[in-house]
Amino acid sequence: MASRTLRLLYVMDPMSKVLVDKDTTFAFQLEGQQRGHAQWHCELQDLFIRGATPHATVRRLEVARATTPYRLTELRTVPLSFFDVIFIRKDPPFDMAYFYATLVLDLADPCRTFVLNAPRGLRDANEKLYALRFPEVIPESLVTSDIDRLKDFLGHLGGEMIIKPLDAAGGTGVLHLRREDRNLNALLEMSTSDGRRLVMAQRYLPEVRRGDKRVIVLDGEPLGALWRIPREDEHRGNIHVGGRVAQATVDERDREICRRIAPQLRADGLWFVGLDIIGGWVTEINVTSPTGVQEIDRLDGTCLEGRVMDFVEERASQLSHAAPRS
């Protein structure tokens, strides 16, 4: 329990879009409220800079697992230094509005406010490309817009691969390509916008039929995991497209992966991330608003959001100046 009441701000989508039984952000909000912290909500367009000081127009937030799951009250406009902790939990896509929001949030005084995840880290860590920093734990990959190069890579891989856009989420646009498919050229033209848009191609990992493992990582350490298992008529295990969840354990391979990537995650301020692991290989590192906490809680009887709140309380306690109580 924190030694003092904290002011927490969630920069995110509208509360009306929150899925009460699924969204990790809602679990954070319930935990923060249970601990007595004062919680506030805003959207990207509510951020602004006056002079050189970042501000936000915010509303006080109350939540409950009830028919009416949230209440927004007390509209205020305050500097970001008003808050002890800011959670950046805006869902993808990472577009220019998101980019500029991270620049505003980057101006928050680190001596007064702890931001999770760090805005600079969010800008630098494209959820597809960031994994390329760790080539020893990822499947063979290629990033290109060149269709001939993609077809050569497909041949190198034995005639089967996965291709995905760099700016989508939730399994959108992820294709399982085979050399013998008569639609191959059309699919590559569509994915690359006729050779004008970069895509990522990766070796197809047949272990995905048994499940795509989501590992939740806090401060470089694995907290818990779950399997996302694709439907028989799908190659994607994403819950968003109908994948079912099953209990998973954090195994030694998961811990080895975390040990290898933890120093870079910490250096980039990526405190809370979700790893997608298939057959022991990392296919994506999710940093914007990774989810899975509520599902793991239900499967394992845990409270991962409690451990996250412990972490942010500890970080807030280390700040050299308490936020002004205006």
Side-chain angles (χ1 to χ4, degrees):
M1 182 67 68
S3 59
R4 63 187 175 91
T5 298
L6 300 179
R7 288 173 169 171
L8 311 180
L9 173 63
Y10 298 88
V11 181
M12 55 182 289
D13 289 311
M15 286 299 297
S16 60
K17 293 188 175 181
V18 167
L19 302 176
V20 171
D21 293 326
K22 293 182 180 293
D23 284 357
T24 291
T25 307
F26 192 73
F28 291 167
Q29 292 167 345
L30 285 170
E31 183 68 17
Q33 180 171 285
Q34 181 179 340
R35 296 186 182 211
H37 299 315
Q39 301 193 116
W40 305 77
H41 171 276
C42 79
E43 300 176 42
L44 296 188
Q45 64 267 26
D46 297 318
L47 300 167
F48 68 99
I49 303 169
R50 179 179 295 153
T53 303
H55 288 70
T57 297
V58 301
R59 287 186 181 274
R60 186 68 180 263
L61 172 67
E62 298 175 8
V63 291
R65 289 196 187 275
T67 304
T68 303
Y70 69 91
R71 283 203 319 139
L72 294 171
T73 60
E74 192 188 349
L75 181 68
R76 298 185 66 166
T77 297
V78 293
L80 295 186
S81 59
F82 177 81
F83 300 102
D84 301 287
V85 178
I86 297 175
F87 290 89
I88 307 177
R89 294 289 300 175
K90 172 71 177 69
D91 285 343
F94 189 106
D95 53 16
M96 290 308 296
Y98 196 123
F99 174 80
Y100 286 123
T102 66
L103 294 177
V104 177
L105 290 160
D106 227 357
L107 295 175
D109 185 349
C111 292
R112 295 179 178 270
T113 306
F114 174 62
V115 183
L116 183 155
N117 284 319
R120 173 183 53 82
L122 292 174
R123 284 197 302 277
D124 291 347
N126 174 276
E127 295 189 325
K128 307 297 189 298
L129 298 181
Y130 189 71
L132 299 178
R133 296 174 184 239
F134 315 102
E136 68 278 11
V137 299
I138 65 172
E140 287 182 81
S141 303
L142 171 71
V143 178
T144 185
S145 60
D146 187 280
I147 292 175
D148 289 336
R149 187 170 289 118
L150 286 164
K151 292 171 75 172
D152 287 345
F153 187 61
L154 177 64
H156 166 73
L157 295 177
E160 193 172 18
M161 72 182 183
I162 292 292
I163 191 171
K164 48 193 170 184
L166 302 182
D167 57 355
T172 300
V174 178
L175 301 174
H176 179 195
L177 301 184
R178 294 182 175 87
R179 182 168 43 199
E180 64 272 14
D181 189 344
R182 290 193 177 93
N183 292 308
L184 177 62
N185 288 328
L187 291 170
L188 291 173
E189 291 163 5
M190 178 183 67
S191 296
T192 64
S193 294
D194 289 318
R196 295 188 299 272
R197 183 173 67 179
L198 287 171
V199 295
M200 173 177 274
Q202 289 183 323
R203 176 179 291 280
Y204 174 72
L205 301 170
E207 295 91 341
V208 72
R209 300 310 309 167
R210 298 197 296 271
D212 172 354
K213 183 186 279 190
R214 164 59 59 88
V215 178
I216 297 295
V217 178
L218 176 67
D219 192 20
E221 299 292 333
L223 287 188
L226 61 83
W227 290 113
R228 300 179 301 178
I229 302 170
R231 300 182 331 213
E232 281 301 315
D233 62 347
E234 263 284 1
H235 66 271
R236 301 170 296 177
N238 305 75
I239 300 170
H240 177 71
V241 294
R244 64 180 177 88
V245 299
Q247 189 174 32
T249 58
V250 175
D251 60 26
E252 183 51 38
R253 174 59 173 171
D254 303 330
R255 296 185 190 282
E256 177 189 356
I257 289 169
C258 288
R259 284 192 294 269
R260 293 191 183 200
I261 70 176
Q264 188 67 53
L265 292 177
R266 293 182 179 120
D268 292 335
L270 298 173
W271 309 111
F272 183 79
V273 306
L275 306 181
D276 292 345
I277 299 176
I278 301 174
W281 299 99
V282 177
T283 59
E284 288 186 23
I285 299 178
N286 299 271
V287 302
T288 51
S289 58
T291 192
V293 161
Q294 291 208 55
E295 290 85 354
I296 295 171
D297 282 351
R298 285 192 288 269
L299 290 165
D300 293 351
T302 56
C303 182
L304 299 191
E305 63 272 24
R307 295 177 64 181
V308 174
M309 201 59 65
D310 287 344
F311 174 74
V312 299
E313 288 175 352
E314 175 61 25
R315 287 283 170 162
S317 74
Q318 296 171 5
L319 300 179
S320 58
H321 300 288
R325 296 288 131 182
S326 59

